[in-house]
Amino acid sequence: MNVRTHWEKIYREKAPDAVSWYRPHLETSLEIIERTAPQRSASIIDVGGGESTLVDDLLARGYQNIAVLDVSQTAIDVTKKRLEAAAENVQWFATDVEKAELPRNAFDVWHDRAVFHFLTTTEERGAYVQQVAKSVKSGGHVLISTFGPDGPTKCSGLEVIRYDAESLHAEFGARFRLLDSVKELHETPFGTKQHFLYCLCRVE
Ligand SMILES: C[S@@+](CC[C@H](N)C(=O)[O-])C[C@H]1O[C@@H](n2cnc3c(N)ncnc32)[C@H](O)[C@@H]1O
C-alpha cells in the first residue's frame, strides 16, 4: 500500500479524535511557535497537519500566513470543513511532502508533528530535508516532533524511527542549529502514554 492509500484509509475509517496522535490542542507546538515567531505575519507551514487543530489555533491567535500540507485529501477536507470560511485564508497542499512543489525561501516556520518519524529510508529522509532546506527562509525555524527513545516502535501500523535530540538533529546537518528540545508524554484517546520529542532548529 502506498503512502497516500494508507493515510486515506485511516482518515476515511476513523473520527478525528479516534486516532492515537489526537490531542484537542497541540499546546507544545503552539507555545514553541508563538515564542519563536511572535510576529503574526510569520509564514508557517504545518507539514502532515492531518486533522489537527493547530491551524485553527494559529488563526485564532491572529497568524495570517498559514499553510497546511498533508498527503491525505480526506484529512484536508475535514479540516477545511471545520474551519468553514476561515479555510479560505489558508494555503493547502494535498501532496506527499517529499514530492511537493513548495515555494523557495517561503516559510519562517516549518512544523511537523509525527510525520518525519515515518521516513524509514535514507532516501526518504534526504528528500524531506531537501524540501526543508529549499522552502524555509534563512533565519527561519524548523520544529519537528517525533517519538522519543522510549516511544512506540509503530504508529498506525507503520514502522517508525525513534529519535533523541542529537540523532534527530544529525538528520538535518550543520546548516540547522539546534536551539531547543522538549519532551512530552502524550496521552492517547485510549488512555495509553507515548513519549514524544520536539526539536527546534534555526536555519543558518
Ligand atoms: C500521525 S499523523 C499526525 C497528524 C498531525 N500532525 C497531528 O499531530 O495531529 C501523520 C500525518 O502525516 C501525514 N503524512 C504521512 N506521510 C506523509 C507524507 N509523506 N507527506 C505528507 N503527509 C504525510 C498523514 O496523512 C497524517 O495526517
Side-chain angles (χ1 to χ4, degrees):
M1 206 187 282
N2 72 24
V3 174
R4 181 182 301 275
T5 314
H6 173 85
W7 289 102
E8 283 297 353
K9 187 170 179 325
I10 299 279
Y11 284 118
R12 283 196 191 128
E13 291 177 356
K14 297 196 183 217
D17 60 356
V19 290
S20 60
W21 55 92
Y22 173 76
R23 297 180 75 77
H25 302 280
L26 302 191
E27 308 90 341
T28 304
S29 299
L30 279 166
E31 189 275 314
I32 298 172
I33 291 171
E34 276 203 285
R35 175 158 47 89
T36 306
Q39 68 288 4
R40 273 25 188 181
S41 58
S43 177
I44 302 168
I45 183 165
D46 186 16
V47 172
E51 296 174 350
S52 97
T53 57
L54 183 67
V55 57
D56 312 45
D57 290 336
L58 289 171
L59 288 169
R61 282 161 172 73
Y63 284 97
Q64 296 143 16
N65 290 307
I66 305 170
V68 177
L69 180 151
D70 202 282
V71 72
S72 166
Q73 184 67 57
T74 303
I76 285 185
D77 289 346
V78 167
T79 307
K80 277 183 168 177
K81 197 168 170 202
R82 189 181 65 230
L83 287 170
E84 301 179 336
E88 286 168 25
N89 303 324
V90 176
Q91 200 179 356
W92 302 94
F93 296 93
T95 182
D96 188 320
V97 60
E98 292 167 46
K99 298 168 192 145
E101 291 199 11
L102 294 172
R104 217 169 257 284
N105 298 323
F107 303 113
D108 296 297
V109 179
W110 174 289
H111 173 265
D112 160 352
R113 176 174 179 266
V115 186
F116 186 77
H117 64 195
F118 289 111
L119 308 182
T120 53
T121 70
T122 313
E123 290 73 24
E124 289 170 336
R125 294 193 295 278
Y128 181 106
V129 172
Q130 273 190 17
Q131 292 282 48
V132 181
K134 177 188 133 186
S135 63
V136 178
K137 296 175 187 173
S138 289
H141 292 83
V142 184
L143 175 57
I144 310 260
S145 168
T146 65
F147 285 153
D150 299 320
T153 54
K154 280 189 157 193
C155 177
S156 102
L158 300 175
E159 299 285 341
V160 301
I161 297 186
R162 300 177 293 178
Y163 293 94
D164 59 19
E166 207 172 80
S167 59
L168 184 53
H169 177 242
E171 295 289 340
F172 285 80
R175 201 182 149 217
F176 296 80
R177 187 154 60 89
L178 181 61
L179 298 182
D180 195 8
S181 66
V182 175
K183 291 176 187 162
E184 179 182 70
L185 195 55
H186 165 62
E187 183 165 342
T188 71
F190 329 115
T192 54
K193 302 266 171 63
Q194 297 179 332
H195 291 264
F196 273 76
L197 168 81
Y198 293 75
C199 273
L200 177 69
C201 291
R202 186 183 139 95
V203 183
E204 304 285 58

